[in-house]
Amino acid sequence: AGSSAASAGCEMAESSSSSTSDQGVPQESSSSAAPIDTPALSLTKAEKGRLKKLRRRAALQPDDKSSGGTVTGIVTRSDFVELSDLQQQQARGDQQTKGQQQLPLALGPTVLVSNRPAYVEDEYTNPDKWQHTSGADHRDIIMSLLFHDGSSDQDAGDGSNQKQSNKKHGKRKHEGGNGGGVCPSVSVAASAGGQAKRFAPAALPSWARIHNPACATALVVVEFSIESSTAGEVMPSRRVASSASAAESNDTRPTNVISELLSQEGHCGRRAVPFSTRLFQGDRIRTSTDVLMYSDIPDQEQQQNVNGNAKGESSAMDSNNASMKSHDISTIASLLQPLVLKRKSRRKERYPCQVIPKKKGTPPKKKKYKKSEVEIAEEEKEANRSVAKERVAEISDKLPSVLESLATGNEASHNGGELFSKAFSRCEAIELVKKLEVSVLGQEQEYANGEVFIPTFLPASNGLSEAAATATTVPQTAPSIFAVDCEMVETSAGRELARVTLLRFEPKQRDRDGYKVVLDVLVKPARPVRDYLTQYSGITAKMLNSVTTRLEEVQIVIAATIKAGDILIGHSLENDLRALCLVHDKVVDTALLFRTNNGSRKHSLKHLSAVLLKRRIQAGCGSSGHCSEEDAAAALLLALNRARIGESFKLYERSEPKNIVEEVTAARRNNLSSARGGATSVAGVEAPIVVLGPDDWLKRHVRPSKSAAHALTCESIGSATSGALVAWLASETRKANLLWANLTVDIDDSENAATHIDDVMTGVLRQAQGSAAVLFIFQAGFQQALSLTRQRKAASDSRSTLGWSLEQEEQWRRAVDSCSTSEALWIGMCS
């Protein structure tokens, strides 16, 4: 059905008419342009040399390992036009002299993983080795291809070869006298006549590089939304694994399109680069369209206002507080006090909050008053707690030297179990935790695995190391400032602590944001580990093999280090305190501090660091996990800057994310597409924009008032209208150069569903020009995850009578994880 629809669409595209058909297929104009007689001239020696060098630059070198975040190959529009003209001229010359034409070099953009060869079979055919990315990374690549600035200032690898080439050939006559051989044309992001940019193209992700970005003349994005009961069977990773197993047993080559695309020979002359892509974090369910088609990147003018305000406030604060020393901890602590969460806010955000016992009245005055068993047990428990507190105070005096030894020890092991024995034993830690246990709100409902919470209780002190105390004049009563970050693993009872990093703010004369790593240890979970969550935690089975440190030991260390009045900083700190089973009242949460949309939207630590601190963290994109010290330091610096600068240090509100399709339309309407009439990037060329998908999807993402796109309804991949996808690419006079499709795969038969997917992919690859950038992205189970999320939210309402079992929670978690983990294939050159 898929192949017949595709062929039918191609046949319809070849009929003659001046409009579109009922099914949205482009119709060709009955009149055709008259042929232009162009004299066929052979290339001069200089032109042949130039053609050879441009071809060498455009070719995909197998051993090229350029660094990430760069573009390589043909990166300027002038070089692309020049190479195309020289190839056509050579073909005409060969036809005239030899009677046959040499096939021109297939030019097209290719998205690659940096610091890797162009093709390594094991990294392509083994899904476990696919590059881990985020959905925002692929959105940035889409924007870079659409709004690529075809000028010489674009970064091309290290830039040396490109600059030398431009300098060497700057005076060639065939370059049109443009000085350095760089065409003045720019992308849709820049205007003619030097007007301000409307939409700033995004920077490439650190793991990515684009080869021949200036060769992109079209962009095709096809989203496969898999909603069938056998969704997992048609995902690329599963199909590649099945093909590999079949090939080993039958000694035959894989036959499905995806396996062929990932082979060295490719499919239809093209090869795919596979990626494992995380579309969203947490329980905020999003579709691939929500992530790829919308950008949160602000206009340059807005970003300058943000930076200018922050700089202005910072300089104003420095001038008004010239006498205030940056290392004055007491002053910083007083500035942080208004940012500390109130008990009501901590309860709302599900922080561990100690139950406040009701005040007991005075017992009746009787001559013979006998205490009840409950009262006797309570007094005994309070006496044991007092003894435990005295013991923790003694441990607090010994602990600094122990932690100093741990900090100077083997960083790779992070195992403090043996060193902690110098201050207390493991058995003693377990007993102390039992004696210090307090009840927390919601303990029966939320903590059903026997968690034992302890509070911080020691009296306040400056908490500085001896060296830091002598370097600063801090009152002994000034509270210390700490930052914490934890990494968790999945066990049979849910998330458990696997690593904790505690930093203490210790500014120095030359580093006002200085800190010291007080504690950084791995922790052995109490239950068997089901999932190490390595892509987020960075924890592996090998790391925990020799670890002996228990959670109770960490609790005693933190209780002996952090005083009751000290300030603790973190990002979404309630998760860290719940993992540590710790109750602390003086907390500053950066996730709440920098909320937007009237406090309804929290932002990731990675985003806050990139925008407000201009610092890249968590750059591994899932391949190496987070660094807990890096995350804790980022949260600390965010809170310190907010305290120093004030409320102007924040994320500025945006009315709504930018729709990329609408931005392309608006730019074309405003005539921002070219300068001096030259050819430009994909977004700058006047050609049809086509979006195809279900009716609800079109109503949500395509607004006729702001988009000139041809909107075509296609409710399912098995629908006949899916052939229009291929037809718009096959058209000669109305070929779409931006095509975005969302195809719902709702066929329960996995083989039939895979056949339809293969037919669509083959049709696109056969009809799309070699210079078209093509992205196929697969997302499974969105509707199921959305339905379960709504049920879970309804069950959590205090007014609801619906129940929510542990089995339902596990089912919801699996559905959300499956929905958030998509797979992407960028189609590029074979060689």
Side-chain angles (χ1 to χ4, degrees), residues 240-254:
V240 169
S242 300
S243 296
S245 301
E248 291 177 0
S249 59
N250 301 328
D251 194 24
T252 58
R253 294 180 60 81

Side-chain angles (χ1 to χ4, degrees), residues 475-497:
Q476 291 298 311
T477 56
S480 295
I481 301 170
F482 292 91
V484 69
D485 186 72
C486 298
E487 304 296 347
M488 276 75 82
V489 295
E490 191 76 27
T491 70
S492 56
R495 300 285 174 93
E496 289 193 36
L497 183 69

